[in-house]
């Protein structure tokens, strides 16, 4: 592989000032071979863009320069190292043209060599378009590597690079390396698979690579010690090299290797001799007074030192001391963690009282600026538990409502355990944290302890703590299905004099109450409560709480036969969660469930499968009602696919989730009816009859009426079946719309079977009118005999398109992937088969498809059964023979 330093045919180097930018840097010292990353870069040849992006010290430049030294084909590589001086379009594009022309050894009269960007043309997309045309005409491929691309701040340059990648000819690819990509959007490229991204996680040393570093330095280190060093440095190449440098000169494996810190003698000696002692007295004092902070601003440094010129001093140190780095573009600075540990050890040894005082100063500074998390940590380290408790009291609810549970856990763990357990408010905070993390039993124990400690509080503090305890009680009761207790606790929260109308704690209570009302069937009341809570959440600006309310509203709207509105609410929740990284949180399980349910109603079964799998993975294990709802819809999907045994198993799981949790569960009758229908469909008529027996004689639901009518029809009593379904409760308020539509479709089928086609068509037309606003499709696909009625109704102008879609989607949904000689596979099953062919494990298939391993195993059982095989090898061979294998994005 040729690079710009070589050129061809002895081509002369450009001007020395430019030449230094287009020469591939030479690595100093021993370089660790990284074949895994070299292979990744080689694989990147099929992408128009490769990015190598990570913070400083992660070996980006070293990786690319050493890769270019590996034997390879004759592809030409043009290298450009940019710096702050290149943040000018004319200068930047001039260097790009120069390095490519030199790497390709182009004649000075070549079209590329003669391109001259000007102030006017370099900001114009036409200039880049002209260059693309010239590149496309080159006789051989060229790779342009731009290093330190984060130095570019001029917006027109990344915009032009984005255009270049989007329209790149096949013989050109671009490699960008830097700490970040300035203004280059990757979202669309990721979707189109047009970019290979190598990040810090990929650049981190592996165990084998770390061993190579230590071996090269002459250290014989046990594997366990290497693993601990890897954990300490987190694979950061610069950190590993610093550790190796600090350990150099020792005899044998150093005792500090297992827990390398800045306090160990060999590391401390290096920092003291090579860094600290070389500073002037003013700087040494500054280092000791500010080392308690993980990150610094000039204001914080002024507070810790009593100076007024910290900003200037920090800027000077950032330019001259490589162990102090500027984080991003903000005026925040930090010490390398090992250097900071050395400084803290020195301060603790020389003046422990001063160290505690510095921590207390930092605590007050962070608390005053709205960062109670840092304030708590510094207050604890400074021995000021009163300030720590006050700071945590100010922040805990915000952290919960913003979904920052990990941060809250970390902060609470900073406080001594006996301090937390003996404080009413703190133990209740811990109860809330347990509750939000799905640890219901621990939350129960803590709320009992907290209530016992309420007597130690006075006035408003006691009243508010009592409201917190009632909120925990409410949520626990809601999860356990104790609706009476939940409503009682909810009333206590909402009536608390310590809470304003828009208090976020009221919103938390309204969310739990809305869930209770929904699962007991009071859908209208639930929607009213949830909309009031959503208003509070939006007013107070807590997105995590907003997401929770949108999620619950989505399922309520679906249950109110408004799936289109439901999906709008769910999509808003998804977009908000994706921006904040909450896609797998328990509250998002409700969103995925709502989307799965709506897509089932629309007969989009593959999408329903995907959403329901995500819901099952995210749902907390203690939320029996939610799990029952998820399993129920999963069962409905399998039933519509005609996988009736799987459907019965899932509905049984839904019944098992419930037990005696909620007596009046919104889906209880629905589940019972679907179980009976499936028993009838599988020929177990006596068992279906026994299931129906307890519900005869009284007022039955529309779903049970449909089930009993299907049983009568299966026994040959069509007239009796029609009489039963005709007695079903009227009005959609007495059941779900899809059940009422099923009743109408079955009525039409039965009426036609009794020789009254005109009456049957009128009933079917009524059902179609009712289904159209919400695009309900699945009720018409429940009965095989309905297809002939739909065919006969094709000519109706009002329903022509809907009926045509129904007949077409019926083929796709039930037939799936057709193949002669085998039972048909669904799209999801075919995808699993493709992953089998790629030799992925069940866990890897689950990761690729965003589903649980148990769901993968269910799909595998269906694949084996339908193909008539008993092993992976046989399944793949059968799939290939039938032409239905669809290789997924796995190996090979």
């Amino acid at each position: 592989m040729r690079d710009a330093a070589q050129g061809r045919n002895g081509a002369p180097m450009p001007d020395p000032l430019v030449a230094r930018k287009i020469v591939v840097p030479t690595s100093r010292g021993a370089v660790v071979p990284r074949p895994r990353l070299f292979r990744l870069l080689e694989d990147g040849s099929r992408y128009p863009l490769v990015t190598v992006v990570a913070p400083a010290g992660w070996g980006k430049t070293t990786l690319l320069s050493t890769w270019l030294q590996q034997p390879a084909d004759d592809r030409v590589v043009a290298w450009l190292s940019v710096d702050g001086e290149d943040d000018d379009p004319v200068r930047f594009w001039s260097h790009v043209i120069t390095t490519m022309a030199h790497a390709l050894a182009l004649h000075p009269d070549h079209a590329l060599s003669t391109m001259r960007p000007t102030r006017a043309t370099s900001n114009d997309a036409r200039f880049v378009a002209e260059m693309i045309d010239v590149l496309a005409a080159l006789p051989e491929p060229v790779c342009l590597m731009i290093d330190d691309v984060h130095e570019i701040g001029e917006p027109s340059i990344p915009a032009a690079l984005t255009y270049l990648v989007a329209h790149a000819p096949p013989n050109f690819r671009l490699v960008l390396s830097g700490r970040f990509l300035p203004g280059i959007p990757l979202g669309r490229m990721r979707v189109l698979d047009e970019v290979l991204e190598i990040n810090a996680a990929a650049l981190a040393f592996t165990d084998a690579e770390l061993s190579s570093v230590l071996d090269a330095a002459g250290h014989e280190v046990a594997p366990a010690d290497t693993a601990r060093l890897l954990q300490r440095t987190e694979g950061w190449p610069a950190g590993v090299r610093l550790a190796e440098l600090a350990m150099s000169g020792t005899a044998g494996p150093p005792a500090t290797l297992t827990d390398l810190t800045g306090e160990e003698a060999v590391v401390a000696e290096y920092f003291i001799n090579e860094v600290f002692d070389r500073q002037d007295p003013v700087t040494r004092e500054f280092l000791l007074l500010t080392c308690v902070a993980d990150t610094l601003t000039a204001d914080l440094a002024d507070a810790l030192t009593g100076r007024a010129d910290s900003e200037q001093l920090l800027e000077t140190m950032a330019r001259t001391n490589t162990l102090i780095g500027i984080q991003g573009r903000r005026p925040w600075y930090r010490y390398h963690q090992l250097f900071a540990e050395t400084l803290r050890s020195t301060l603790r040894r020389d003046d422990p009282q001063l160290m505690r005082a510095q921590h207390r100063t930092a605590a007050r500074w962070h608390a005053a600026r709205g960062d109670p998390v840092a304030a708590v940590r510094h207050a604890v380290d400074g021995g000021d538990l009163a300030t720590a408790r006050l700071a945590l009291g100010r922040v805990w609810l915000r952290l919960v409502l913003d979904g920052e549970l990990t941060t809250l856990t970390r902060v609470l763990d900073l406080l001594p355990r006996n301090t937390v357990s003996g404080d009413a408010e703190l133990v209740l905070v811990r109860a809330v944290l347990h509750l939000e993390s799905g640890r219901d039993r621990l939350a129960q124990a803590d709320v009992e302890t907290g209530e016992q400690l309420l007597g130690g509080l006075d006035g408003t503090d006691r009243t508010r703590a009592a409201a917190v305890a009632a909120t925990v009680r409410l949520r626990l009761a809601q999860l356990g299905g104790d609706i009476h207790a939940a409503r009682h606790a909810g009333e206590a929260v909402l009536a608390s004099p310590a809470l304003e109308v828009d208090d976020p704690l009221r919103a938390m209570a309204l969310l739990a109450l809305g869930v209770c009302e929904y699962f007991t069937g009071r859908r209208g009341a639930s929607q009213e409560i949830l909309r009031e809570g959503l208003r509070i959440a939006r007013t107070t600006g807590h997105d995590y709480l907003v997401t929770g309310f949108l999620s619950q509203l989505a399922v309520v709207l679906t249950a109110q036969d408004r799936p289109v509105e439901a999906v709008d609410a769910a999509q808003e929740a998804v977009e908000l969660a994706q921006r904040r990284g909450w896609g797998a949180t328990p509250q998002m399980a409700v969103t995925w469930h709502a989307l799965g349910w709506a897509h089932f109603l629309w007969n989009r079964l593959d999408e329903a499968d995907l959403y329901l799998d995500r819901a099952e993975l995210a749902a907390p294990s203690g939320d029996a009602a939610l799990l029952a709802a998820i399993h129920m819809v999963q069962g409905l999907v399998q039933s519509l696919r005609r996988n009736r045994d799987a459907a019965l198993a899932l509905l049984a799981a839904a019944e098992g989730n419930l037990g005696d949790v909620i007596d009046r569960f919104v889906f209880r009758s629905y589940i019972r009816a679907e179980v009976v229908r499936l028993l009838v469909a599988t020929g177990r008529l006596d068992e279906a009859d026994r299931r129906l027996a307890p519900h005869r004689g009284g007022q039955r639901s529309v779903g049970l009426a449909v089930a009993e009518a299907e049983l009568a029809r299966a026994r040959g009593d069509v007239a009796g079946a029609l009489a039963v379904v005709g007695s079903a409760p009227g009005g959609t308020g007495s059941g779900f719309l899809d059940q009422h539509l099923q009743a109408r479709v079955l009525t039409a089928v039965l009426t036609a079977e009794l020789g009254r086609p005109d009456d049957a068509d009128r009933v079917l037309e009524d059902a179609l009118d009712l289904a159209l606003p919400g695009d309900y499709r699945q009720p018409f696909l429940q009965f095989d005999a309905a297809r002939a009625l739909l065919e006969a109704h094709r000519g109706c102008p009002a329903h022509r398109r809907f009926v045509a879609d129904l007949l077409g989607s019926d083929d796709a949904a039930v037939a799936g992937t057709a193949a002669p000689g085998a039972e048909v596979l669904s799209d999801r099953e075919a995808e699993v088969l493709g992953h089998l062919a790629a030799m992925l494990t069940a866990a890897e298939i689950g990761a690729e498809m965003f589903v649980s391993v148990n769901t993968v195993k269910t799909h595998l059982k269906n694949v084996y059964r339908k193909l008539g095989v008993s092993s992976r090898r046989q399944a793949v061979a059968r799939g290939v023979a039938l032409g239905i294998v669809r290789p997924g994005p796995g190996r090979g």
Side-chain angles (χ1 to χ4, degrees):
M1 183 177 293
R2 299 186 307 277
D3 60 50
Q6 297 169 318
R8 284 184 300 181
N9 304 321
M13 290 295 292
D15 179 273
L17 293 177
V18 178
R20 64 182 175 85
K21 295 176 179 290
I22 67 173
V23 174
V24 178
T26 302
S27 301
R28 296 180 179 179
V31 177
V32 180
R34 312 195 77 179
R36 64 180 179 89
L37 295 179
F38 294 165
R39 287 193 297 271
L40 192 59
L41 287 168
E42 291 294 342
D43 291 342
S45 61
R46 65 186 181 89
Y47 295 90
L49 175 64
V50 175
T51 65
V52 185
V53 178
W58 284 88
K60 303 179 291 294
T61 303
T62 301
L63 169 67
L64 293 176
S65 63
T66 52
W67 175 55
L68 292 179
Q69 298 170 16
Q70 305 301 305
D73 58 25
D74 203 33
R75 183 185 302 112
V76 177
V77 174
W79 179 283
L80 176 62
S81 298
V82 298
D83 53 34
E85 296 177 354
D86 297 310
D87 194 20
D88 175 276
V90 175
R91 186 182 182 92
F92 175 81
W93 289 111
S94 295
H95 291 342
V96 168
I97 291 169
T98 297
T99 189
M100 287 197 294
H102 180 75
L104 291 160
L106 299 178
H107 192 276
D109 293 333
H110 190 277
L112 183 62
S113 303
T114 59
M115 293 188 71
R116 294 290 183 267
T118 66
R119 178 64 56 188
T121 62
S122 61
N123 286 310
D124 193 331
R126 284 175 293 184
F127 174 80
V128 180
E130 180 183 350
M131 185 170 64
I132 291 171
D133 291 339
V134 174
L135 291 173
L138 292 173
E140 55 189 326
V142 62
C143 173
L144 172 62
M145 288 188 176
I146 303 178
D147 196 24
D148 290 334
V149 70
H150 58 268
E151 296 285 357
I152 298 172
E154 163 59 42
S156 68
I157 297 176
L161 287 172
T162 303
Y163 183 89
L164 175 60
V165 172
H167 301 85
N171 64 337
F172 175 84
R173 69 169 169 146
L174 180 64
V175 179
L176 299 178
S177 174
R179 297 180 188 179
F180 57 88
L181 297 182
I184 298 177
L186 296 180
R188 181 177 178 274
M189 298 181 196
R190 291 184 182 119
V191 171
L192 297 176
D193 195 28
E194 293 179 343
V195 58
L196 170 67
E197 298 177 80
I198 300 176
N199 56 20
L203 292 168
F205 278 148
T206 64
D207 184 89
E209 290 165 346
L210 177 56
S211 296
S212 296
V213 172
L214 298 174
D215 289 344
H219 294 293
E220 294 183 4
V221 182
D225 289 344
T226 303
R228 279 189 282 271
L229 180 59
L230 188 67
Q231 182 181 25
R232 177 73 176 104
T233 60
E234 298 181 8
W236 180 35
V240 171
R241 287 186 170 83
L242 180 60
E244 186 276 326
L245 177 63
M247 292 184 292
S248 63
T250 61
T256 60
L257 185 59
T258 55
D259 290 300
L260 186 70
T261 71
E263 299 182 34
E264 301 296 343
V266 64
V267 179
E269 180 182 4
Y270 169 80
F271 281 120
I272 295 298
N273 293 338
E274 299 299 324
V275 181
F276 186 75
D277 286 347
R278 298 191 179 194
Q279 308 300 321
D280 60 72
V282 171
T283 303
R284 288 201 296 269
E285 180 186 33
F286 183 91
L287 291 171
L288 289 173
L289 291 177
T290 59
C291 68
V292 298
D294 290 328
T295 57
L296 282 169
T297 65
D299 288 345
L300 176 55
D302 283 345
L304 290 169
T305 62
R307 304 174 63 93
D309 61 346
S310 295
E311 183 173 7
Q312 180 180 354
L313 187 55
L314 284 168
E315 289 176 352
T316 301
M317 293 171 68
R319 288 194 302 269
T320 60
N321 191 333
T322 58
L323 295 179
I324 299 176
I326 301 175
Q327 295 187 327
R329 295 180 178 271
R330 299 182 304 163
W332 285 85
Y333 303 81
R334 69 173 180 85
Y335 296 109
H336 183 278
Q337 59 176 337
L338 293 176
F339 184 36
E341 290 168 1
T342 296
L343 293 172
R344 291 168 194 160
S345 177
T346 302
L347 182 60
R348 187 183 302 110
R349 182 194 64 223
D350 294 347
D351 197 339
Q353 290 185 347
L354 176 59
M355 186 169 193
R356 287 194 293 272
Q358 295 302 96
H359 276 300
R360 290 194 292 271
T361 299
R364 292 191 295 271
W365 186 89
H366 281 290
R369 283 155 182 80
D371 187 2
V373 176
V376 170
R377 185 179 65 78
H378 283 294
V380 170
D381 289 342
D384 187 358
L385 294 182
T387 297
R389 182 191 178 283
L390 180 62
L392 181 57
R394 291 175 179 173
V395 74
W396 74 265
L397 184 57
R398 176 180 66 79
L399 292 176
V400 170
L401 296 177
D402 287 345
E404 299 182 34
L405 304 182
T406 301
T407 300
L408 179 57
T409 300
R410 188 166 61 247
V411 173
L412 197 62
D413 287 345
L414 291 171
L415 295 169
R417 186 175 295 274
N418 60 344
T419 299
V420 175
S421 299
D423 186 290
E425 184 174 4
L426 293 181
V427 80
L428 287 172
V429 169
R430 191 170 65 189
V432 173
L433 185 58
H434 286 320
L435 190 61
E436 293 297 320
S437 302
R439 300 187 292 265
D440 300 350
R441 292 184 180 179
L442 294 175
Q444 180 72 40
D446 273 345
V447 74
E448 292 173 358
T449 301
E451 288 171 338
Q452 294 170 4
L453 294 170
L454 285 177
L457 299 177
D458 296 324
T460 304
D461 288 344
R462 180 177 181 176
T463 306
R464 186 167 183 85
V468 175
T471 303
V472 177
R473 289 282 188 191
L474 164 58
R475 177 65 173 152
L476 286 169
Q478 176 248 308
L479 287 173
D482 189 342
I483 304 305
H484 176 75
R487 286 175 176 154
H488 179 74
E491 290 170 0
V493 177
L494 299 179
S496 173
L499 306 184
E500 300 291 335
V501 173
D502 287 346
D503 194 298
L505 207 56
R506 288 189 76 249
M508 290 180 68
L510 290 170
L511 182 57
L513 283 173
V515 175
C516 287
E517 299 296 357
Y518 164 64
F519 277 126
T520 52
R522 301 181 69 226
R523 289 169 266 174
S526 175
Q527 183 188 172
E528 183 177 346
I529 291 170
L530 292 173
R531 290 203 180 278
E532 169 61 14
L534 178 60
R535 183 195 64 77
I536 297 174
R538 291 194 192 279
T539 299
T540 55
H542 292 294
D543 287 349
Y544 190 74
L545 201 54
V546 169
T547 305
F549 278 109
L550 288 171
S551 298
Q552 294 295 339
L553 271 174
V555 291
V556 171
L557 288 168
T558 308
Q560 288 183 315
D561 311 319
R562 296 150 68 184
V564 176
E565 295 176 60
V567 168
D568 287 343
Q571 291 293 356
E572 185 180 352
V574 170
E575 291 169 5
L576 188 55
Q578 288 177 338
R579 289 200 303 269
R580 302 295 296 274
W582 298 330
T585 55
Q587 69 178 6
M588 284 304 295
V590 183
T591 307
W592 303 128
H593 162 56
L595 286 168
W597 188 8
H599 283 76
F600 159 72
L601 294 174
W602 295 334
N603 194 44
R604 295 167 62 178
L605 302 188
D606 286 335
E607 289 100 323
D609 271 335
L610 176 62
Y611 290 128
L612 293 168
D613 287 340
R614 289 182 176 178
E616 186 178 13
L617 283 172
S621 58
D623 199 336
L626 176 58
L627 285 169
I630 293 169
H631 289 147
M632 181 197 74
V633 183
Q634 286 176 324
L636 297 178
V637 171
Q638 292 303 318
S639 177
L640 199 55
R641 291 190 185 279
R642 308 303 195 257
N643 295 330
R644 295 186 174 101
D645 289 339
L648 278 169
L650 286 162
L651 291 174
E655 290 182 318
N657 289 131
L658 289 177
D660 297 324
V661 171
I662 300 176
D663 180 56
R664 185 188 174 191
F665 181 59
V666 64
F667 295 119
R668 190 179 295 277
S669 177
Y670 200 134
I671 294 171
R672 288 169 175 165
E674 289 301 315
V675 169
V676 173
R677 295 185 65 228
L678 284 164
L679 291 172
V680 172
T682 53
R684 289 174 269 185
L685 305 186
D686 292 341
E687 186 178 350
D689 195 42
R690 286 193 298 273
R691 287 267 192 161
L692 279 170
H695 310 291
R696 291 192 175 101
Q699 183 178 4
R700 60 187 158 208
S701 68
V702 61
L704 287 171
V706 169
E708 186 166 359
E710 287 192 84
L711 175 61
R713 178 175 178 243
R715 287 174 165 169
D717 186 2
V718 177
L722 183 60
V724 169
V725 76
S727 68
T732 56
S734 60
F736 296 98
L737 179 57
D738 61 311
Q739 293 179 303
H740 286 277
L741 287 170
Q742 288 176 16
R744 283 168 168 78
V745 175
L746 180 57
T747 298
V749 168
L750 295 170
T751 303
E753 290 177 353
L754 290 173
R756 294 151 45 196
D758 291 341
D759 292 340
D761 189 65
R762 281 193 292 271
V763 175
L764 182 68
E765 185 170 9
D766 176 55
L768 290 166
D769 285 338
L770 193 59
L772 268 172
D775 199 26
Y776 279 71
R777 296 171 181 240
Q778 63 86 7
F780 298 91
L781 307 176
Q782 297 280 340
F783 311 97
D784 294 336
R787 184 177 183 86
L789 299 179
L790 290 168
E791 289 281 6
H793 198 78
R794 272 184 183 272
C796 176
H799 306 134
R800 182 179 292 113
R801 177 172 296 180
F802 188 55
V803 170
D805 286 346
L806 275 174
L807 291 170
S809 61
D810 177 62
D811 289 338
V814 178
T817 302
E823 188 177 347
V824 293
L825 301 183
S826 70
D827 286 346
R828 297 285 278 176
E829 290 163 355
E831 184 179 356
V832 169
L833 183 57
H835 288 307
L836 285 183
M839 298 305 294
L840 268 66
T841 65
E844 289 170 333
I845 294 173
E848 291 285 349
M849 298 175 65
F850 300 100
V851 300
S852 67
V853 173
N854 286 335
T855 299
V856 172
K857 291 179 179 178
T858 299
H859 287 316
L860 287 174
K861 289 179 182 177
N862 290 337
V863 169
Y864 289 177
R865 176 181 58 79
K866 290 182 177 181
L867 296 181
V869 299
S870 59
S871 71
R872 172 195 290 260
R873 184 187 300 271
Q874 293 172 352
V876 172
R878 180 69 166 150
V880 170
L882 295 171
I884 59 174
V885 169
R886 301 177 183 177
R891 302 182 192 131

